[in-house]
Amino acid sequence: MKLRHLTLTFASALLVASCSSAPYEKTDTGITVNVKNVDADGARLVRLQVLGEKLIRVSATPDKKFADTPSLVVVPQDSIPHFDVVSTDSTVSVSTSCVTATVSLADGEVMFYDKDGKLILAEDEGGRRFTPIEVEGKKAYTVRQLFKSVNDEEGIYGLGQHQADEFNYKGKNEELFQYNTKVSVPFVVSTDNYGILWDSYSLCRWGNPEDYKQLGGVFKLYDKDGKEGALTGTYVPADGSEPLVQREDSIYFEHLKRGDLAHVVNLPVDFPFNGSHITYEGFIEPETSGLYRFIMYYSGYQKIYINNELIVPERWRTAWNPNSFKFSTELEAGVRVPIKIEWEPNGAVAYCGLRAYSPTDPKEQLKMSWWGEMQEQIDYYFVYGESMDDVIKGYRTLTGKAPIMPKWAMGYWQSREKYNTQEEVESTFAEFRKRNIPIDNIVIDWLHWKQDSWGSHEFDKERFPDPKGMVDSIHDMNGRVMISVWPKFYVTTEHYKEFDDNGWMYKLPVTDSIRDWVGPGYLGSFYDAYDPDARKLFWKQMYEHYYPLGIDAWWMDASEPNIRDCTDIQYRKDLITPTALGPSTQYFNAYALMNAEAIYDGQRGVDPDKRVFLLTRSGFAGEQRYSTATWSGDIATRWEDMAAQMAAGLNFAVSGIPWWTMDIGGFCVEDRYVAAQKEFDKTGKENADLKEWRELNTRWYQFGAFAPLFRAHGQWPFREVFNIAPEGHPAYKSIVYYTKLRYNLMPYIYSLAGMTHYDDYTIMRPLVMDFPDDKAVRDMKDEYMFGPDLLVAPVYHYGDRSREVYFPAGGWYDFYTGKYIAGGETMNVAAPYERMPLYVRAGSILPMGGDIQSTAEVSNEPVTLFVCAGRDGSFTLYDDEGVNFNYEKGMKASIPLTWNNAESTLTIGERMGEYPGMLKNRKFNVVLVDPSHPVAFDKAVKGVAVDYNGSRAEVKL
């Protein structure tokens, strides 16, 4: 027996050796290729794993075996479909019924084809690179994966939500990291109906794998007098005293000094920045001709001129929360052109930066490129689909389905920074009820605890004497309460000590004595959300302190994590390392996902029937499976910021995460608006700035009513409609109109919520999703679809009373008049102060409910079904109990609606399913809208009355 064992062992060794030298090996899930021609920085092994009919995982490593650390993003798949393996002398292919992936045996490059053999995507020759990196004793690789541009005209969308107002990322560059107002999700979707999920948690770059260079590394610099080597910096204090003039060899004042967090790198130390006027000017001379891409970093007011042309009109961000903006310009080799940056800081600590990329070959720029700072190997997932929706469905198959959000989350959210007392919370909500303005949710922001007790999860009893009574009072008014919970703890709290005793608290913030902005400045740190036991403790502390109060929803702020604003990325990594999984360099971007898991798993563990709602400032791929929404952070109260939220929200939606919102009105307020509100409070006069403030909020509310989540928040002036403008003011009337309209549309909106779960649907939709063949919409970021029926065109310039709207072919109806527009053209349409352009697609069946004050109410009015003639259409009305997970047990109901345009007949199908409390008999008011019969989409319009008992009914119109 012993001899036989030895013989088998020897035979097994020979088999392994032969497999390792064979061109490829077939596995249970795909193939592994032993690359024949291994470059010094290339891959030794390339593996394809079939995870679905349209899902292929690609892994590559320069090592002798794969690392195979479990993914934080991708969930285990239930089954593996049938696949075939076919090889030639030079390639080996894996094929499902929908897609084929082919690997070159010589160099390991991968190509993807559809079932008809059409090339969809291909890795570039020599496009895969590994550079060894070692951090804190952990060895890994900095990697790059480059793909060919198979179709130069495709559109590519996703990557999370960023604030540079870019939309179509084909040929663009984006750095992927988490920060306030910036949420990075490494997933993109192409108009060619494929997606790539890049499974990396480190700092990543899309496009150019290099960082932007200092101006002196790209251009010859000359000061304003023509002396080579620097630009001229002129610093004029606010008091008009003697200016400081010095040469600047770079414009890099983008972060605080490590070890001296009171000052910004490279800026004069003792200069009084607040209110000053600063100019950087001189000349730049490029060495090569071409398109130069710039990135500016700004706080305060900034403008940029190149060649005496205003390239960047005035932009503003508050001093403590700067932003990036990108622009490009053509320059000619050897031609010296003037450059000027005008900067007016509005804080004692302020930031400014300008860096650039040298020209790139346009063909190279169009190629898809992924770069990751620290990975064990290359891992990406190819997702194919019949449409962009189908691709997103594949993404959610990989990363987890989105649960149905509670119905009350679809209603209006009122928030501010911040309600300082229990009385403020209760009286604010009561005021909405008194005025009959619908509302579902009110938010209690940070510092509801004692000033020195961050992380205690205890209300300050002096300001909030009866927290449970407060929550109960909101519940009694059919409202819900969301509370701000940070992953941050002061060292003096018992909760900090509990984490620290277990080794679950990041140490360096305490070692470096980083104090926050509260009072005298308190010392604290963040917990390590990468540790599963730390996550359990985080929830346990919340459960013990907040859950008994009846809190309904969780606001997970600063989940980037943001230990200290405005530090450089390396210091940010140092402040949160090591994590339980390894160096923060490797796990830099996924903290919010881990933190969300703590809350979702925690709540479902103790209260499995109550729906979970999380709102997180940061986010990552896969967060949707934890019933998590993201908002766009502490954006500014500027028209350009409002405009940027459209591109940000649309790209976030295409990133596969259906729930997104923003601070309506912007969070950080310009001083002029603060002064205007103070003047009004004192004199009752609406000056020019207050007039603009009210219009800005009006236009933003109009836009926000058609976001997945409808939520206002920000610093003073307060954001409640009755604090923005008095009753009777056009701002007040418009905001109330759209708030009520949101609730009238609740049958439509909640049906869309059901679709996000059952159909993996996307609610906030760039036009390119519904009109993929219309190349006119590839770069269209300022209008979008809200569900399948509504075309939304926000107004985002002050004083505009009209705007251009592009109508894709197919027919549209003006929401307010019913006027028909054939489509296939751009039109200038009216946009009066109180109304935003809004259109309904021909073929739609748009349901509208009665007036309600909260989603907890059931209206006695019929549901009006607006049937829009012009083409066949369908819609499914969905409903369930709205607050629990009984839908997972089949307790839900749907009513299919079908419009036959040729026969002018609406069929209300047989109701499918039921749930406790369901209305078994209901009334419909069916209204036909057609070109010859324009009707406003107003529930008061009388149509054909239908008494519906769940059985099929036909309505001839």
Side-chain angles (χ1 to χ4, degrees), residues 380-399:
Y380 69 86
Y381 296 79
F382 174 82
V383 185
Y384 181 62
E386 299 301 318
S387 64
M388 293 177 73
D389 277 299
D390 199 25
V391 174
I392 290 173
K393 182 181 183 70
Y395 159 85
R396 293 197 201 147
T397 299
L398 285 172
T399 63

Side-chain angles (χ1 to χ4, degrees), residues 102-119:
T102 299
V103 186
S104 165
L105 298 176
D107 50 34
E109 290 156 9
V110 184
M111 295 166 284
F112 302 93
Y113 302 86
D114 67 14
K115 63 183 179 181
D116 298 321
K118 179 183 176 182
L119 180 64

